[in-house]
């Protein structure tokens, strides 16, 4: 049974949808409060006149505070960025500030957390890809690599996009601390489904888009860079709003490149205010529900599918049995994943196929009854 907070949030924020959306790992559905806030800002803009720079700044400040609450950091250390890739580039900048060395990633990582590092190879860096073990990240090999001399950074996803496997960030972070290795985390498939304490986990740069489990607009996201690293990173975009006096909208003060002393120094100039207002509202809603309640609800939804899969020889759940090592994604290996996806689509159930796996990613708007309907449809698809 869902917790009272999940049930109340679903009743208040979601109505009936023509399609059962089980693809939050691609994008999440807006709560009603988010839709209302986006609509209200658009209406205010279209009335003409001035919304007011102070009002717009308040929207962005609200988004920074909401983001900070997710990862247990100070809002001044949050940078609003349009996607995970931009945030990963802050990690690239931090690593590039030091001497060349090795950057370690796992095989199977999403390209957004590999390609930016590969661009450093032209500057003398080496990207080492650690092979998977039994189809999952080899965490022991990653920990050993973080302790090696010459390894400058370890970059991982908190939750893998294809399997839903949740790595043990604390153990990796501890290895990085001991080895003097920078630890960069792509959190896009984790945040919104579980708790992360970025500082306690030993993370040096955290990056995420917000359009998935954070139920936010495309083009919204954030990065966290702790104050100890701030001065070491050259902002990837030189923004007129990232310097002292930039918000005065004037050329009279001259053109001094005096960066702000907080996370705004990394923000890429004019931001999509409506996107970040939406992000703030959605994150606030999830925090009201409670991330522990969200996690428990998703485990209950997963259990419906896991129980069905256990009775089918031709279906296998990917990952490990321990629910603590799974994010919001449940992936299945089955004979014809694309055929199964199309069969579900024909019954107005949306899932995805990633790396040959059927990926199911429900969220707070989904009920256990709807998951039962999903496995009934899956059963029909597999029997064909």
């Amino acid at each position: 049974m869902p917790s009272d907070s999940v049930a109340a949030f679903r009743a208040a924020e979601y109505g009936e949808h023509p399609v059962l959306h089980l693809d939050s790992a691609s994008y999440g559905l807006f709560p009603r409060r988010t839709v209302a806030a986006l609509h209200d800002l658009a209406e205010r803009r279209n009335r003409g006149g001035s919304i007011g720079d102070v009002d717009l700044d308040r929207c962005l400040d609200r988004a920074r505070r909401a983001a900070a609450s997710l990862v247990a950091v100070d809002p001044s250390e949050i940078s609003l960025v349009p996607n995970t890739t931009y945030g990963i580039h802050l990690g690239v900048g931090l690593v590039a500030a030091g001497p060349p060395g090795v950057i370690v990633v796992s095989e199977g990582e999403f390209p957004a957390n590999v390609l930016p590092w590969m661009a450093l190879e032209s500057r003398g860096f080496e990207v080492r890809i650690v092979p998977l073990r039994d189809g999952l990240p080899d965490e022991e090999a990653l920990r050993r690599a973080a302790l090696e001399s010459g390894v400058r950074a370890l970059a991982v996803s908190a939750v893998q996009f294809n399997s839903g496997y949740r790595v043990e960030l604390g153990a990796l972070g501890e290895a990085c601390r001991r080895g003097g290795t920078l630890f960069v985390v792509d959190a896009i498939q984790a945040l919104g489904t579980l708790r992360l304490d970025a500082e306690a986990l030993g993370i040096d740069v955290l990056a995420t888009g917000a359009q998935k489990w954070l139920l936010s607009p495309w083009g919204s996201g954030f990065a966290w860079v702790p104050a100890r690293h701030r001065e070491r990173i050259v902002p990837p975009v030189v923004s007129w709003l990232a310097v002292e006096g930039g918000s005065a909208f004037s050329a009279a003060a001259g053109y001094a490149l005096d960066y702000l002393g907080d996370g705004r120094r990394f923000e890429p100039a004019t931001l999509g205010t409506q996107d970040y207002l939406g992000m703030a509202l959605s994150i606030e809603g999830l925090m009201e529900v409670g991330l522990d309640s969200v996690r428990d609800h998703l485990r209950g939804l997963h259990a419906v599918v896991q129980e069905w899969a256990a009775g089918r020889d031709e279906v296998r759940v990917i990952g490990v049995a321990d629910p603590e090592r799974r994010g919001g994604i449940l992936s299945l290996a089955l004979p014809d994943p694309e055929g199964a996806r199309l069969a579900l689509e024909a019954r107005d159930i949306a899932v995805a196929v990633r790396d040959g796996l059927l990926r199911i990613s429900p969220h707070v708007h989904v009920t256990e009854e709807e998951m039962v309907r999903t496995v009934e449809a899956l059963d029909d698809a597999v029997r064909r």
Side-chain angles (χ1 to χ4, degrees):
M1 294 293 291
S3 71
D4 290 343
S5 62
V6 171
F9 187 74
R10 182 168 59 242
E13 301 290 352
Y14 293 97
E16 294 294 325
H17 291 282
V19 174
L20 174 55
H21 187 73
L22 304 181
D23 194 18
S24 295
S26 293
Y27 65 89
L29 304 186
F30 296 154
R32 287 190 177 112
R33 68 176 71 189
T34 301
V35 174
L38 295 173
H39 179 76
D40 177 67
L41 185 58
E43 286 292 320
R44 290 172 61 198
R45 173 173 172 159
N46 264 17
R47 285 198 292 268
S50 176
I51 294 176
D53 298 323
V54 172
D55 281 354
L56 297 180
D57 285 343
R58 283 174 179 161
C59 292
L60 300 179
D61 285 341
R62 186 174 181 177
R64 295 184 192 100
R65 291 194 302 272
S69 71
L70 282 169
V71 292
V73 302
D74 191 281
S76 68
E77 296 181 332
I78 293 292
S79 303
L80 300 179
V81 300
N83 48 52
T84 308
T85 297
Y86 189 99
I88 293 295
H89 273 277
L90 296 180
V92 171
L94 179 60
V95 175
V102 176
I103 298 148
V104 175
V105 300
S106 173
E107 181 185 6
E109 276 283 340
F110 194 74
N113 197 23
V114 178
L115 296 177
W117 301 108
M118 294 183 71
L120 286 178
E121 290 184 323
S122 64
R123 299 172 59 176
F125 288 83
E126 173 194 346
V127 176
R128 182 191 305 170
I129 300 177
V130 175
L132 297 173
R133 182 176 182 181
D134 298 327
L136 300 173
D138 187 342
E139 294 187 63
E140 180 55 37
L142 293 173
R143 284 193 293 270
R144 288 197 305 268
L147 295 169
E148 292 179 14
S149 175
V151 172
R152 295 289 319 288
L154 170 62
V156 300
S157 292
V159 171
Q160 295 295 305
F161 80 102
N162 45 16
S163 65
Y165 180 75
R166 176 185 176 187
V167 302
E168 182 52 67
L169 291 177
L172 294 177
E174 174 60 24
C176 286
R177 280 192 292 264
R178 289 170 52 202
T181 300
L182 294 167
F183 190 28
V184 181
V185 173
D186 173 346
I188 195 170
Q189 294 292 5
L191 293 179
T193 69
L194 49 86
R195 294 180 176 275
L196 289 184
D197 186 326
E199 193 73 70
L201 292 169
I203 298 171
D204 291 292
V205 176
L206 179 144
T208 187
Q211 73 272 18
K212 300 181 188 291
W213 302 97
L214 294 178
L215 310 174
S216 301
W218 288 292
S220 64
F222 67 91
W224 172 69
V225 177
R228 66 181 179 275
H229 292 318
R230 191 178 295 146
E231 299 292 335
R232 298 176 58 196
I233 301 175
V234 176
V237 172
V238 179
S239 163
W240 61 279
L241 283 170
V243 300
E244 296 291 345
S247 59
F249 302 97
S250 173
Y255 304 110
L257 196 58
D258 298 325
Y259 286 112
L260 294 168
D262 58 23
R264 292 175 296 168
R265 68 195 287 130
F266 301 124
E267 294 179 352
T270 303
L271 295 166
T273 306
Q274 68 286 337
D275 300 330
Y276 293 100
L277 175 61
M279 185 180 90
L281 269 290
S282 290
I283 292 175
E284 288 168 2
L286 289 169
M287 297 301 285
E288 290 169 14
V289 174
L291 296 179
D292 289 343
S293 294
V294 174
R295 176 204 62 199
D296 292 345
H297 177 63
L298 296 182
R299 288 179 182 175
L301 300 180
H302 289 176
V304 176
V305 181
Q306 290 171 298
E307 182 178 348
W308 167 78
R312 308 288 315 195
D313 292 338
E314 64 273 58
V315 179
R316 179 169 58 91
V317 175
I318 300 299
V320 295
D322 184 357
E324 291 292 338
R325 304 307 301 275
R326 187 184 303 285
I329 294 169
L330 187 71
S331 289
L332 303 176
L334 68 176
D336 182 10
E338 181 61 19
R341 186 193 70 79
L342 292 172
L344 292 179
E345 183 180 79
R347 296 171 73 161
D348 294 326
I349 301 172
V351 295
V353 173
R354 295 291 185 269
D355 286 346
L357 302 173
L358 188 74
R359 189 179 72 178
I360 301 171
S361 50
H363 212 334
V364 289
H365 60 276
V366 178
T367 67
E368 288 190 16
E369 292 77 13
E370 288 171 325
M371 293 305 289
V372 170
R373 175 159 67 90
T374 299
V375 298
E376 291 171 349
L378 272 173
D379 203 58
D380 290 344
V382 170
R383 289 179 187 277
R384 289 181 179 179

